[in-house]
Amino acid sequence: MQELVKRASELLADGSVARVLGWKAGDLPYNPEPAYFENEEQLRSFVYNGFCGANLSKYMIEASKLEGKTLVFLKPCDTYSFNQLMKEYRVDREKAWIIGVGCRGKLDIEAVKRSGIKGIESISEEDGELKIKTLYGDHSISYAEAMLERCHSCKGKEHRVYDELIGESEETNDSERFAGVTEIEAMSPEEKFAYFQKELSKCIRCNACRNVCPACSCRKCVFDSNKFDSAQKANTDSFEEKMFHIIRAFHVAGRCTDCGECSRVCPEGIPLHLFNRKFMKDIDELYGEFRAGEDAETKGPLTDFTFEDAEPGVVAERG
Amino acid sequence: MSITAKTEFKPKIVAFCCNWCSYAGADLAGSSRLSYPADVKIIRVPCSCRVNPMFVLRAFEKGADGVILCGCHPGDCHYSTGNYYTRRRMTLLFSMLDYIGVEQGRTRVEWVSAAEGVKFSTTMNEFVEKIHSLGENVRLGDLRCRN
Ligand code: SF4
Ligand code: SF4
Ligand code: SF4
């Protein structure tokens, strides 16, 4: 972390960048938040730790409109989002100085809480273990156990776009990305319906999943229209809820980089990646493997076609 | 008030037809006096690719039991390539509906040219039959639209 702060102050001091986009300490030990830093003084609250899961690419949309360059710290997975935003002409590469930061997996406070740890006062890390001081005594939990779902199926630790790299990464991938999707696909229609009814009825339509998503950056969003009911929380057993989720995922299909932010921020713990990954899996199977954000040039699968594409009836045929 | 006897199920079908081929195909079916069920309500769209996935979901939500999209045959799109995009989009949408547990068969895409009045009528007859066998759409409807 000290290395990041040092480099940031250097670049600020010599005028190469006008501001720094990073993470600053929050009010709790586990909630650092995205922030701008404009001088050495402000950089004192800069942090980079296991809880810095927040993907800063989306903030570069606004930063691209500001005077001067912005130094932005991106984790390997965040660089996919940046590439995708470049492809969509939403961010300006010239306005960004990208420092790729190393990543050893990011933590999920919900995973810690699920293991029964409450009243957290401080969290520190020692050889792959999290030491947690709480109001009720000391606890420890393994780093891997407390990791975000997305880090267990990490895309890899290679930064796809950067100006310089700082820090080491470690392999965290230990599960198959589409395992959850395959599991649901094997269910009967009744089971599938019941499963999604159970998950989606928890949704409070806070829109956090949309707001955090780099792909969901349209200036005008269909869900903000007051002309239809999706603007509010719907009855839990009506279709409105599912409609929101299908359309949200559909609008990012072929553009979603699987950055995992939506699932991370959902206050209800809804596994939103199961929707995104269903589209990814179908796209891979039907139109050839594709990974959004791998580069900033390749055409997306939904803005492209071939004459031989499968007919929609294929859904019924493959059962 | 008494409980009304269960009436016969009359499916509501929404058919999105593109202006250039399928709508003309439907017209031809009509002028050739080929019959298709009156339960099919046609919505004319400039191109099949005008159909936003939300249109399909909205139709279901407002009480449709089946939704069918008809457009020009691939290669014959009035705007050259519109229907190729439709094909990809609808494939993904239908697959997603299947994934969340909606019965297969409530959605369909069929390519119908302006000369295919017969195909239009048989497709619609078949589709209505299918929806009949699936019964009422209970999974996608909005409670507020039920009476
Ligand atoms: S997905 Fe990979 S790169 Fe992204 S935070 Fe997790 S471990 Fe790091
Ligand atoms: S973040 Fe979660 S609760 Fe909020 S709208 Fe999205 S799915 Fe619903
Ligand atoms: S849908 Fe979720 S995983 Fe995909 S880009 Fe948006 S926030 Fe990331």
Side-chain angles (χ1 to χ4, degrees):
Chain A
M1 186 181 108
Q2 282 323 313
E3 226 181 315
L4 302 185
V5 177
K6 191 167 147 270
R7 188 67 186 127
S9 18
E10 269 170 31
L11 288 168
L12 272 178
D14 70 14
S16 340
V17 300
R19 68 196 69 76
V20 175
L21 190 47
W23 305 268
K24 83 172 191 207
D27 48 358
L28 295 167
Y30 48 80
N31 66 352
E33 55 197 48
Y36 282 122
F37 304 87
E38 284 175 349
N39 52 47
E40 193 120 352
E41 167 78 30
Q42 290 172 356
L43 275 171
R44 264 182 231 141
S45 56
F46 181 97
V47 288
Y48 182 60
N49 59 30
F51 288 103
C52 293
N55 177 350
L56 302 176
S57 311
K58 180 164 180 159
Y59 298 87
M60 284 308 295
I61 297 175
E62 286 308 313
S64 295
K65 298 176 194 152
L66 301 175
E67 204 57 43
K69 276 197 184 221
T70 303
L71 159 60
V72 59
F73 292 105
L74 299 180
K75 300 186 291 298
C77 56
D78 305 342
T79 60
Y80 286 75
S81 311
F82 191 88
N83 260 344
Q84 183 62 28
L85 287 168
M86 266 207 290
K87 195 195 288 188
E88 295 165 9
Y89 305 103
R90 299 306 300 277
V91 294
D92 185 350
R93 182 69 183 89
E94 298 302 311
K95 288 285 194 71
W97 183 264
I98 302 174
I99 298 190
V101 289
C103 182
R104 304 165 40 233
K106 292 295 162 221
L107 300 165
D108 181 3
I109 190 62
E110 297 307 321
V112 175
K113 289 181 180 165
R114 265 199 304 277
S115 71
I117 300 176
K118 289 200 184 78
I120 300 169
E121 287 184 316
S122 74
I123 301 180
S124 60
E125 205 196 310
E126 263 170 56
D127 338 301
E129 286 274 319
L130 288 182
K131 304 277 177 214
I132 305 172
K133 281 200 176 22
T134 77
L135 293 172
Y136 315 104
D138 296 352
H139 293 273
S140 76
I141 174 173
S142 80
Y143 195 91
E145 204 183 323
M147 236 162 32
L148 286 162
E149 189 282 336
R150 73 169 187 236
C151 302
H152 289 288
S153 46
C154 178
K155 291 184 274 287
K157 299 299 186 292
E158 189 193 335
H159 294 79
R160 311 303 299 204
V161 53
Y162 61 87
D163 293 299
E164 54 184 296
L165 295 176
I166 300 182
E168 300 292 308
S169 295
E170 264 168 45
E171 192 47 72
T172 54
N173 191 324
D174 59 4
S175 76
E176 208 273 306
R177 188 157 71 111
F178 293 131
V181 176
T182 317
E183 211 172 289
I184 295 171
E185 282 172 345
M187 295 180 184
S188 72
E190 287 70 29
E191 287 167 342
K192 287 175 182 168
F193 193 76
Y195 174 78
F196 282 111
Q197 180 88 323
K198 177 178 120 272
E199 287 297 335
L200 300 185
S201 60
K202 295 189 278 192
C203 175
I204 54 171
R205 280 310 310 286
C206 65
N207 283 343
C209 51
R210 176 200 68 177
N211 295 350
V212 78
C213 173
C216 279
S217 296
C218 302
R219 292 204 185 100
K220 259 192 160 173
C221 174
V222 62
F223 298 122
D224 286 335
S225 161
N226 55 7
K227 295 222 172 53
F228 78 100
D229 313 326
S230 275
Q232 315 116 42
K233 168 76 186 122
N235 290 339
T236 53
D237 52 355
S238 86
F239 179 59
E240 198 68 46
E241 222 56 274
K242 293 178 200 76
M243 173 130 122
F244 167 77
H245 288 280
I246 296 172
I247 297 295
R248 185 203 63 79
F250 197 96
H251 284 184
V252 299
R255 307 190 301 119
C256 164
T257 61
D258 205 6
C259 76
E261 284 290 87
C262 46
S263 298
R264 179 181 70 89
V265 299
C266 177
E268 297 294 321
I270 298 171
L272 292 156
H273 53 274
L274 290 177
F275 283 91
N276 307 329
R277 289 185 186 162
K278 169 63 179 166
F279 281 130
M280 282 175 216
K281 185 165 178 281
D282 280 346
I283 287 170
D284 282 0
E285 284 170 7
L286 294 163
Y287 312 124
E289 276 199 27
F290 177 79
R291 185 144 241 182
E294 224 161 31
D295 60 54
E297 292 85 33
T298 317
K299 255 190 168 186
L302 281 176
T303 49
D304 201 6
F305 62 84
T306 68
F307 297 129
E308 296 79 32
D309 282 343
E311 293 294 328
V314 70
V315 176
E317 283 156 27
R318 68 177 179 194
Chain B
M1 206 174 88
S2 65
I3 295 167
T4 43
K6 210 167 187 286
T7 46
E8 198 209 338
F9 169 53
K10 283 192 68 85
K12 291 191 208 71
I13 311 286
V14 173
F16 290 101
C17 293
C18 93
N19 186 33
W20 305 101
C21 293
S22 312
Y23 195 79
D27 219 21
L28 181 64
S31 51
S32 330
R33 306 201 171 276
L34 296 165
S35 72
Y36 63 89
D39 316 316
V40 178
K41 306 290 179 220
I42 297 180
I43 297 178
R44 181 165 61 160
V45 284
C47 174
S48 60
C49 93
R50 172 66 185 92
V51 181
N52 179 327
M54 193 103 112
F55 291 5
V56 177
L57 301 185
R58 195 49 106 206
F60 279 122
E61 193 192 21
K62 299 290 180 206
D65 298 301
V67 176
I68 181 165
L69 253 86
C70 300
C72 311
H73 285 267
D76 292 341
C77 175
H78 188 79
Y79 308 99
S80 314
T81 53
N83 49 8
Y84 289 114
Y85 296 105
T86 313
R87 189 157 68 175
R88 284 201 170 185
R89 280 179 210 154
M90 291 304 140
T91 307
L92 291 183
L93 178 69
F94 294 179
S95 175
M96 179 53 82
L97 286 175
D98 174 52
Y99 183 67
I100 67 159
V102 172
E103 309 91 330
Q104 276 172 13
R106 280 200 193 278
T107 46
R108 183 162 166 185
V109 169
E110 204 60 62
W111 312 119
V112 180
S113 79
E116 294 176 319
V118 178
K119 180 170 182 192
F120 184 85
S121 120
T122 45
T123 303
M124 290 305 159
N125 281 309
E126 255 176 51
F127 190 58
V128 170
E129 187 95 345
K130 174 80 191 172
I131 301 300
H132 244 289
S133 68
L134 286 174
E136 206 183 336
N137 154 33
V138 282
R139 295 199 175 144
L140 297 175
D142 186 328
L143 285 181
R144 291 164 290 188
C145 295
R146 253 174 246 162
N147 42 23

